[in-house]
Amino acid sequence: MRRQDVSVQAASAGGLKRVLGPVNLIALGVGGTIGAGLFSLTGIAASTNAGPAVVLSYLLAAIACSFAGLCYSELASMIPIAGSAYTYAYAALGELVAWIIGWDLVLEYAVGAAAVSVSWSRYVASLLAGWGIMISPRLTASPFETVVLSDGTQAHGLINLPAAFIIVAISLLLIRGISESARVNGVIVVIKLLIIAAVIGFGLPYIKVANYSPFIPPNTGEFGHFGLSGIMRAAGTIFFAYAGFDAISTTAQETRNPGRDMPIGILGSLLICTLAYVLFSFVLTGLVNYKDMLNDAAPVATAIDQTPFGWLKVAVKAGVICGFTSVLLVLLLGQSRVFYAMSRDGLLPRMFSVTHSVRRTPVYSHLFFMLLTGSFAAFLPIDQLAHMTSIGTLLAFAIVCLGVIMLRIHEPDRKRVFRVPGGYVIPILGILSCLAVMASLDGLTWIRLVIWLAVGMVIYFCYGRNNSVLGQRERVEAQASRT
């Protein structure tokens, strides 16, 4: 029996409802993609790595994502069940690799959501301050960050309470149901795109051309600090800004016609987001000199302060908050579906695939990540969260591209509603581009990835390997053959 057949049979017993169409999927992709990478990390990547050339970093990341997006589309049309890259790795590369990628996806979705929630917190604090409502800086920062108090003294943060709060609120909405969540996301996406259009349109006349000089600041002598290596490092830092489009594939089991709608949703949302990223980052670095965005988690608010439109400042901050909210919704949705699929295949405890009797949502999976992601959001700084998320996303994309190659070799006649053009060229380019961007990330991020995967391997060999559906089936078949 093929590995994917085991997974498909297990999925058929699940309780998820097929209610999503192509418009819902594009909205989920845009909602999950445009967020912290654009509204927050643009400033960080520009000030520490690429300068105004962060525009090129977004294009570089988009090229790698386009290769991966095409591969995701082929696999999503072939294997229309929940789980995204985990499910594809399970079908193409086996249980062990599937476990590795499923565990790695926690970095993309759960840790990514934590990073977004930190930016959400900063913008909420900025908006409330404009209304005269002050939140103590120590309650909007992690213990690893230093903040300036109202009396001018410096102190370490205590806990990021707003970040933890929004994780809890979104998790409760997702428990309520996928249809309700999709409707809320659709409204928020419209608001977010209008805000981006407003910033570009109203900001263009106030661009200072001098801020683009030099467009590619000279390298400081250290890899990743400006110059060409800085552009690469910035691409790695902001890469998780594109993570949302692949979260679409986690909802394949809740899509009415996944063979047709999945490619439309994945590629359509990726195209829209790339255009928005390039235009928005160009305007942002024109309004504010990249040197002035150092350690600024809310650079859009800073940029709007360069214009005379008072109403726009408030509207943009409110719209950005809405945009972050939709990203959180999609990332937490994707994470719960990955653990749902892993539990369905026996690699995780059964509680993660138990669905609510009425809502038909994986309630325990949502509750678990509400606690885990909420803790990350409350106690970790945004730059470390972003690097962890980027390397996890890149690894997932590379494995998906490899999965396309392997399935074409082993199952060339299997029906493919959508097929990546050009033979093996695009999957190979996808693997190479993702590995190139991964190589640009710092050594500490790689060490964290290795430690994270090592912890995952301990869990697999202590629990997953002994309880998996595939492993149990193979043991029964082996015993039967001996008798």
Side-chain angles (χ1 to χ4, degrees), residues 129-421:
W131 294 340
I133 303 173
M134 306 302 297
I135 302 177
S136 171
R138 301 191 73 187
L139 298 180
T140 59
S142 77
F144 300 97
E145 296 173 286
T146 301
V147 297
V148 179
L149 303 180
S150 58
D151 60 2
T153 60
Q154 292 187 338
H156 285 285
L158 294 175
I159 182 174
N160 198 326
L161 279 179
F165 163 79
I166 191 60
I167 293 294
V168 172
I170 294 297
S171 297
L172 295 178
L173 172 62
L174 288 167
I175 290 173
R176 183 173 177 83
I178 184 66
S179 297
E180 293 84 348
S181 300
R183 283 195 291 269
V184 171
N185 177 72
V187 173
I188 293 175
V189 165
V190 172
I191 296 173
K192 180 159 54 177
L193 291 177
L194 288 175
I195 292 301
I196 291 173
V199 172
I200 294 172
F202 288 100
L204 276 173
Y206 297 92
I207 285 177
K208 301 179 181 65
V209 177
N211 287 335
Y212 295 124
S213 182
F215 187 72
I216 303 178
N219 184 261
T220 61
E222 182 180 352
F223 183 90
H225 288 269
F226 306 107
L228 294 179
S229 67
I231 294 173
M232 289 291 294
R233 175 67 60 82
T237 299
I238 63 177
F239 198 88
F240 96 99
Y242 287 96
F245 85 85
D246 74 303
I248 296 173
S249 61
T250 66
T251 65
Q253 204 169 324
E254 295 158 282
T255 302
R256 289 194 294 267
N257 187 357
R260 182 200 66 179
D261 297 344
M262 277 288 155
I264 294 174
I266 291 172
L267 298 176
S269 62
L270 181 58
L271 178 61
I272 293 171
C273 293
T274 299
L275 180 63
Y277 280 177
V278 170
L279 292 176
F280 194 90
S281 59
F282 178 78
V283 172
L284 190 68
T285 52
L287 289 173
V288 182
N289 189 281
Y290 71 93
K291 297 177 182 177
D292 297 331
M293 291 189 281
L294 185 64
N295 296 323
D296 187 355
V300 181
T302 303
I304 293 302
D305 287 339
Q306 310 303 310
T307 73
F309 305 109
W311 62 269
L312 183 59
K313 298 174 185 178
V314 176
V316 165
K317 290 176 183 178
V320 168
I321 292 168
C322 289
F324 283 135
T325 303
S326 70
V327 173
L328 291 170
L329 186 150
V330 175
L331 291 179
L332 291 174
L333 169 68
Q335 179 62 83
S336 68
R337 270 44 177 187
V338 171
F339 260 44
Y340 169 89
M342 296 174 73
S343 172
R344 175 199 64 205
D345 293 331
L347 294 174
L348 288 172
R350 184 178 177 275
M351 72 172 188
F352 290 111
S353 58
V354 172
T355 56
H356 192 278
S357 58
V358 177
R359 303 294 181 186
R360 307 282 288 277
T361 56
V363 58
Y364 295 113
S365 185
H366 281 306
L367 290 174
F368 175 79
F369 283 102
M370 180 179 74
L371 295 175
L372 180 65
T373 308
S375 298
F376 287 158
F379 298 112
L380 292 177
I382 187 173
D383 58 340
Q384 300 303 322
L385 291 168
H387 285 174
M388 287 290 289
T389 302
S390 290
I391 199 166
T393 303
L394 285 159
L395 179 58
F397 285 5
I399 291 179
V400 166
C401 294
L402 178 61
V404 168
I405 296 173
M406 297 304 295
L407 280 178
R408 286 191 180 180
I409 293 173
H410 295 301
E411 298 186 40
D413 298 325
R414 187 177 175 90
K415 182 180 179 181
R416 291 164 170 81
V417 178
F418 175 87
R419 189 180 184 92
V420 177

Side-chain angles (χ1 to χ4, degrees), residues 430-455:
I431 294 170
L432 294 177
S433 59
C434 288
L435 293 178
V437 178
M438 287 178 72
S440 72
L441 292 171
D442 60 277
L444 186 57
T445 299
W446 276 93
I447 292 172
R448 292 194 189 101
L449 175 65
V450 171
I451 293 173
W452 179 261
L453 294 179
V455 172

Side-chain angles (χ1 to χ4, degrees), residues 466-483:
N466 298 321
N467 293 276
S468 72
V469 173
L470 179 61
Q472 292 177 1
R473 192 182 299 270
E474 289 176 345
R475 285 191 289 272
V476 170
E477 292 175 351
Q479 185 175 3
S481 64
R482 287 195 297 269
T483 58

Side-chain angles (χ1 to χ4, degrees), residues 66-68 70-71 401 405 420-433:
S66 65
F67 297 145
L70 288 166
C71 293
C401 294
I405 296 173
V420 177
Y424 296 130
V425 174
I426 288 178
I428 291 173
L429 289 174
I431 294 170
L432 294 177
S433 59

